Amino acid sequence: MPNTSSRAFLMSASAALALTAGAVSADTLRIGLASEPTSVDPHYHNLGPNNALARHIFTPLIEQDAQQLLNPGLATEWEAVDDTTWRLTLREGVTFSNGAPFTARDVIYTICRIPLVPDAPSPFTLYTRAIAGLEAEDDHTLIVTTDGPAPLLPNQLATFGIISASVSGAEDEVSFDTDGCTGIGDAPASAEFNDPAFAIGTGPYTLDAYIRGEELRLTRNDNYYGDAPAWEQIVMRPLTNAGARVAALLAGDVQMIENPPTQDIARIEGDGFVISSGLSNRVIYIALDQGDAPTPGIAGDTNPLQDARVREALALAIDREAIQQRLMLGLSEPAGELLPAPMFGTNPDRPAIPYDAERARELLADAGYPDGFQIVLGTPNDRYINDGAISQAVAQMWTQVGVQTEVDAKTFSAFIADRNGFNFSAFLAGWGAGTGEMSSPLGALVATRDPDRSLGGTNFARHSNPDIDDRLVEALQTVDDAERERLLREASAIAMDTFAIVPIHYELTTWALAPGLEYEARADQYTLGFAVTQAD
Amino acid sequence: MVAYLLRRLGQSLLAVIAMAVLVFLGVYAIGNPVDILINPEATERQRLEIMERMGLDRPLWEQFWVYFGNLLQGDFGRSFVYGESAMSVILQRLPATMELALFALVLAIVLGVPLGVIAGLKPDTVGGRSIMAGSILGFSLPNFWQGLMMILIFAVFLGWLPAGGRGQTTEFLGMRVSFLNLDGLKHMILPAINLALFKMALVIRLARAGTREVMMQDYIKFARAKGLSHRRVVLVHVLKNIMIPVVTILGLELGSMIAFAVVTETVFAWPGMGKLLIDSINRLDRPVIVAYLMLIVFLFVLINFLVDLLYSVLDPRVRLAQRGTQ
């Protein structure tokens, strides 16, 4: 009944206003996002949704493909001249969307501006801090010097887009200095980028409108140097509620959604929609506190987790295949390391940690805990795919081998406060390797905590093993790719052999698309509208 | 009247301050926003830098002092997430919410009152009974379930209406609104009905009870005896007398529709303030949460005040009583 009256209302309204609805054209791709970018400024917030949006409008010097391998972007070539000097050859004939040419000056300006973004909640200085000098040999050749060997420089240069120096108010001469650049004028505030006239880049799209919470509209950039994408327009809408996102896809409001819930995937596929999924760079792991006793989640004045046999027992007690089949419905891959092969620094022949409850009980008995012990497992319940349910399953599996486990599940903001306060003896969390190589998870989760060397920042398990640290530090100083990969593989193998940390699985990232569309799943989990194609 | 206004203002100021203090402490107790906002790969030094810039490294009492000092100068602080003024982030979302709430309110009144009066006039007919049965459904079905079912039926199966979002907007008095164009209206229908159903059920019940009571009154019998048409009796004498409770309840409910339309806004991806509040709570964006709740307290106070004014329009006795107290 309400519906009929609304329809009558509608018809009279349409007659009165004589307005037509915005027709859905075949040239428009509408995407439902699981979380919204917080700004159009490519240097404001180093976070997946922001970075994915930035890729549409601004191109980085070096691009990452779907597996996060490096490809030419605005730089066509990069080579290490010596341990601390890199030569970048910039692409010629590239223009910004406003028609102005792209030169080395824009790159220098961008790197100068990154530390100056006001109020940035997560700045990109992480990726520029190694740079000690920038010199433009000519408009299309750039010499980068670093303080100490920086083998990851190409990966780091792939993380941020280049903005136009002129539009941002720079002078004709921009020169780099770690203590403060000259000629950069007043660095623009992030909010200015929300204005299409200011968001000028070299990417495949230009900004049409950014209405926070509601809609982001992009229009194809005809000045783009690469292959023209299929869509004249891309519209992105934040649909944070998973049910609303699926409904929007089924109703045809959008043609693509991020992260459809696992339990809905069969239904979506059954209706003829396309599911695209692939391994992400994110591992779900359990960290076990190896700090001095007593540890908060275990009663008594000893810390059994300091014994590698106990950690091995807990690792073997987890039935990773059951979790993959029953909880993730196939959308995960059991893990044996912190990054899936064949990404850089992984040991491709290392299998997932097997399930062996019998051996787990033996190991516990050997370590002096034939009757097990009691432990609390902390977990977020709204951050990773099915995180709360995975923890419940792990708790049951551990209890079966005699380790009485209680789950302490919390919303992410509360969980992280507890974790960073070392309030868990065991906790489940995830790690995505932004650089797409092994030094990222090893350096953050396993290396000894050392703020001076920027290592062990997320090592809340307080694991410490000089054998791993030495190899990792050496790898981070080794520009030669083959040698660096060897060191990282060794470090990873040691960490896994000593059960420094217990990986569970790699998440698969999933997209659902309207029939006839194709999207190659990306390890970095970015949703890139310009990479969506129409199948023939 | 002036004294009454001042007293009202004083009370609401107290409410605003008490609420701000509670929320400030509450959000502080949950955790550190920087841990959520920052990229996990960031270094410890960067983390400390950001905390310092946001003032989060200082002791609680000092953060509190700075915040309230700024507040007295009308500065609600900058959002941790968006880096913009917290109040402007909220006000950007206000039109969408207001529009939806008012549309829902109009639906609730325009459909609810007549249905309630009919059910009151003819309580034993099939029509009257089915209206009451319908209102029980409106009460008892959970809001989010109704929303999902409406999306399933009207958007997914029938394809008549969009499943969510705001659609096209038109510039109106400097705000972007949906109700002035067809696409915008189409997007608004389902969420507005979803938001209105519960209120409509409430109005139906109030109107029915009121009608049944008023119909027994002497003045109705007198009006009948005077030879007034049934139409005039119902439209003037009955309707005016049942409106007082309806206005009271709807006033309060309008406040809650604006402030806490969270469920509807989430299910229909409606870009209103409720959704902003939830996002801000998840990210511990304290300036936005505190400013939002202060704005809501202010709105409630304002609505209550308007309801009081409406009483005096509807009921002459209220006007007389106020004159008496002055």
Side-chain angles (χ1 to χ4, degrees):
Chain A
M1 177 116 115
N3 194 55
T4 19
S5 66
S6 325
R7 274 164 66 83
F9 182 34
L10 244 183
M11 283 189 278
S12 61
S14 73
L17 295 168
L19 282 171
T20 47
V24 181
S25 106
D27 294 337
T28 304
L29 176 69
R30 291 168 190 275
I31 305 174
L33 301 180
S35 54
E36 193 191 15
T38 52
S39 171
V40 181
D41 182 347
H43 311 138
Y44 176 67
H45 200 160
N46 179 16
L47 201 71
N50 287 44
N51 294 346
L53 168 65
R55 289 293 172 282
H56 291 82
I57 307 171
F58 308 92
T59 348
L61 287 171
I62 297 169
E63 306 245 25
Q64 291 187 327
D65 69 5
Q67 270 72 48
Q68 287 187 279
L69 299 175
L70 302 181
N71 275 337
L74 286 176
T76 49
E77 280 170 52
W78 54 95
E79 54 162 344
V81 182
D82 57 49
D83 265 7
T84 58
T85 314
W86 293 76
R87 177 195 298 274
L88 304 180
T89 312
L90 304 185
R91 194 179 289 272
E92 306 216 15
V94 175
T95 57
F96 283 94
S97 57
N98 64 359
F102 157 77
T103 64
R105 171 172 163 260
D106 299 300
V107 180
I108 299 176
Y109 178 81
T110 298
I111 293 172
C112 280
R113 190 231 171 198
I114 281 176
L116 303 176
V117 182
D119 294 321
S122 183
F124 283 74
T125 45
L126 181 61
Y127 305 123
T128 58
R129 68 197 155 103
I131 299 174
L134 278 174
E135 208 63 57
E137 231 168 50
D138 58 55
D139 268 1
H140 295 95
T141 313
L142 198 64
I143 305 295
V144 185
T145 48
T146 55
D147 57 350
L152 293 182
L153 189 76
N155 300 66
Q156 291 167 338
L157 293 178
T159 54
F160 55 88
I162 302 298
I163 59 174
S164 159
S166 300
V167 172
S168 308
E171 292 162 26
D172 289 340
E173 279 299 319
V174 179
S175 64
F176 178 86
D177 191 314
T178 39
D179 294 328
C181 303
T182 48
I184 54 169
D186 289 329
S190 294
E192 293 192 50
F193 283 86
N194 300 344
D195 172 9
F198 200 90
I200 301 297
T202 54
Y205 283 83
T206 58
L207 180 69
D208 206 16
Y210 169 57
I211 310 167
R212 187 171 290 150
E214 198 170 325
E215 203 171 78
L216 249 157
R217 282 200 302 275
L218 304 169
T219 307
R220 190 158 53 199
N221 172 15
D222 294 325
N223 287 331
Y224 178 53
Y225 65 84
D227 297 335
W231 313 97
E232 175 74 39
Q233 271 225 325
I234 294 179
V235 179
M236 298 185 189
R237 281 173 40 198
L239 298 168
T240 45
N241 178 274
R245 213 154 56 234
V246 173
L249 178 76
L250 295 179
D253 284 9
V254 296
Q255 284 93 50
M256 175 182 195
I257 58 169
E258 296 181 327
N259 304 340
T262 13
Q263 70 273 15
D264 287 346
I265 286 177
R267 194 231 147 141
I268 293 172
E269 251 182 329
D271 281 7
F273 289 83
V274 179
I275 295 288
S276 162
S277 67
L279 271 182
S280 70
N281 61 22
R282 178 180 283 159
V283 65
I284 299 297
Y285 65 88
I286 289 180
L288 300 170
D289 181 22
Q290 295 148 49
D292 291 336
T295 176
I298 298 176
D301 45 11
T302 58
N303 182 1
L305 301 173
Q306 285 178 323
D307 190 329
R309 286 172 296 185
V310 174
R311 301 198 297 268
E312 183 175 0
L314 294 177
L316 293 177
I318 300 170
D319 186 349
R320 288 171 180 70
E321 266 178 34
I323 292 176
Q324 181 203 22
Q325 299 301 327
R326 311 271 162 72
L327 289 177
M328 304 299 287
L329 304 176
L331 292 171
S332 69
E333 191 168 301
E337 279 188 293
L338 296 173
L339 199 65
M343 291 177 103
F344 191 87
T346 53
N347 294 293
D349 46 356
R350 231 189 140 84
I353 301 175
Y355 168 58
D356 191 341
E358 205 45 54
R359 176 91 188 110
R361 283 193 202 92
E362 280 173 31
L363 283 163
L364 282 173
D366 289 352
Y369 300 95
D371 301 323
F373 50 91
Q374 290 189 347
I375 191 168
V376 178
L377 173 65
T379 178
N381 56 12
D382 52 6
R383 177 72 167 188
Y384 310 104
I385 305 173
N386 302 334
D387 43 10
I390 297 169
S391 292
Q392 295 289 352
V394 168
Q396 286 172 23
M397 292 167 185
W398 282 0
T399 305
Q400 274 174 14
V401 297
V403 178
Q404 301 287 326
T405 311
E406 187 190 320
V407 174
D408 181 9
K410 291 191 170 86
T411 184
F412 184 66
S413 51
F415 164 80
I416 203 164
D418 266 352
R419 187 197 70 178
N420 293 5
F422 297 95
N423 288 336
F424 292 126
S425 287
F427 66 84
L428 176 137
W431 183 264
T435 50
E437 46 76 55
M438 188 56 93
S439 77
S440 163
L442 283 183
L445 307 176
V446 180
T448 306
R449 291 179 68 81
D450 183 352
D452 290 333
R453 293 198 292 190
S454 306
L455 287 177
T458 312
N459 181 0
F460 295 101
R462 291 179 274 209
H463 179 78
S464 177
N465 182 347
D467 288 346
I468 300 174
D469 295 352
D470 292 347
R471 283 174 177 80
L472 187 63
V473 169
E474 200 186 331
L476 290 172
Q477 309 276 331
T478 306
V479 175
D480 180 53
D481 279 351
E483 176 63 9
R484 186 168 80 253
E485 181 154 35
R486 187 186 66 79
L487 287 163
L488 289 174
R489 280 179 173 162
E490 278 182 25
S492 171
I494 297 171
M496 293 302 115
D497 289 342
T498 55
F499 297 90
I501 189 166
V502 178
I504 297 180
H505 60 228
Y506 311 114
E507 283 184 351
L508 260 62
T509 314
T510 313
W511 288 264
L513 300 105
L517 298 186
E518 280 177 0
Y519 185 65
E520 186 188 358
R522 289 183 63 91
D524 56 19
Q525 311 190 320
Y526 293 171
T527 300
L528 303 179
F530 54 83
V532 178
T533 52
Q534 223 141 6
D536 320 302
Chain B
M1 194 68 191
V2 177
Y4 170 76
L5 248 180
L6 283 178
R7 202 169 59 229
R8 246 320 175 39
L9 213 71
Q11 284 169 353
S12 38
L13 212 64
L14 271 178
V16 170
I17 292 172
M19 197 275 324
V21 173
L22 280 176
V23 174
F24 195 94
L25 296 180
V27 179
Y28 179 87
I30 298 176
N32 184 348
V34 175
D35 291 338
I36 295 174
L37 294 175
I38 202 167
N39 187 299
E41 290 185 331
T43 60
E44 181 63 20
R45 202 159 293 139
Q46 275 187 319
R47 190 171 155 265
L48 293 177
E49 264 170 37
I50 296 166
M51 282 181 60
E52 198 182 319
R53 207 179 51 223
M54 290 179 173
L56 295 167
D57 56 332
R58 303 188 210 173
L60 175 61
W61 64 268
E62 204 178 319
Q63 292 184 35
F64 196 69
W65 185 251
V66 170
Y67 185 80
F68 275 87
N70 290 338
L71 202 60
L72 289 179
Q73 296 161 30
D75 177 3
F76 287 86
R78 294 167 84 78
S79 156
F80 294 153
V81 176
Y82 300 109
E84 290 172 36
S85 146
M87 205 32 112
S88 80
V89 169
I90 296 168
L91 290 181
Q92 281 169 2
R93 300 286 191 93
L94 185 68
T97 294
M98 284 299 239
E99 183 178 30
L100 184 66
L102 289 175
F103 192 32
L105 183 76
V106 169
L107 275 183
I109 296 174
V110 167
L111 297 175
V113 173
L115 287 175
V117 172
I118 292 170
L121 291 174
K122 297 170 178 157
D124 298 322
T125 60
V126 177
R129 288 226 173 107
S130 16
I131 289 172
M132 288 323 286
S135 87
I136 288 172
L137 281 184
F139 263 122
S140 48
L141 296 180
N143 206 228
F144 72 90
W145 188 84
Q146 284 174 5
L148 287 175
M149 283 304 116
M150 284 188 340
I151 291 178
L152 256 178
I153 295 168
F154 295 108
V156 178
F157 290 141
L158 298 174
W160 291 349
L161 294 166
R166 201 176 173 199
Q168 258 183 351
T169 53
T170 320
E171 196 83 19
F172 176 69
L173 299 178
M175 293 178 297
R176 291 179 316 100
V177 295
S178 301
F179 70 92
L180 288 178
N181 70 69
L182 182 63
D183 186 55
L185 272 176
K186 268 185 169 175
H187 281 83
M188 200 152 68
I189 288 171
L190 287 185
I193 293 176
N194 181 237
L195 199 55
L197 270 178
F198 181 85
K199 321 294 167 199
M200 204 191 298
L202 203 65
V203 171
I204 289 176
R205 309 224 121 204
L206 285 171
R208 175 180 177 268
T211 308
R212 295 202 68 178
E213 195 185 316
V214 168
M215 287 307 280
M216 310 286 177
Q217 299 287 329
D218 289 343
Y219 58 84
I220 299 291
K221 288 184 187 141
F222 182 70
R224 284 256 171 80
K226 221 164 71 170
L228 292 182
S229 66
H230 182 63
R231 191 187 157 83
R232 189 168 164 81
V233 170
V234 172
L235 287 187
V236 176
H237 297 281
V238 174
L239 211 53
K240 216 170 162 180
N241 281 296
I242 63 168
M243 282 314 269
I244 292 256
V246 172
V247 167
T248 315
I249 294 292
L250 280 184
L252 290 175
E253 293 289 329
L254 175 65
S256 72
M257 274 201 281
I258 294 171
F260 309 114
V262 181
V263 173
T264 300
E265 286 183 359
T266 308
V267 171
F268 289 93
W270 187 262
M273 297 193 300
K275 233 172 132 255
L276 177 69
L277 178 67
I278 291 295
D279 291 346
S280 300
I281 290 174
N282 283 332
R283 290 164 168 161
L284 298 181
D285 196 348
R286 191 171 65 198
V288 174
I289 303 173
V290 178
Y292 177 88
L293 292 173
M294 285 204 276
L295 181 74
I296 292 307
V297 172
F298 171 76
L299 271 178
F300 263 91
V301 170
L302 188 75
I303 289 170
N304 275 330
F305 179 67
L306 291 178
V307 166
D308 282 355
L309 286 185
L310 253 184
Y311 278 172
S312 57
V313 176
L314 285 169
D315 189 343
R317 287 171 303 183
V318 175
R319 245 172 309 184
L320 291 175
Q322 272 177 11
R323 240 173 246 151
T325 57
Q326 257 184 352

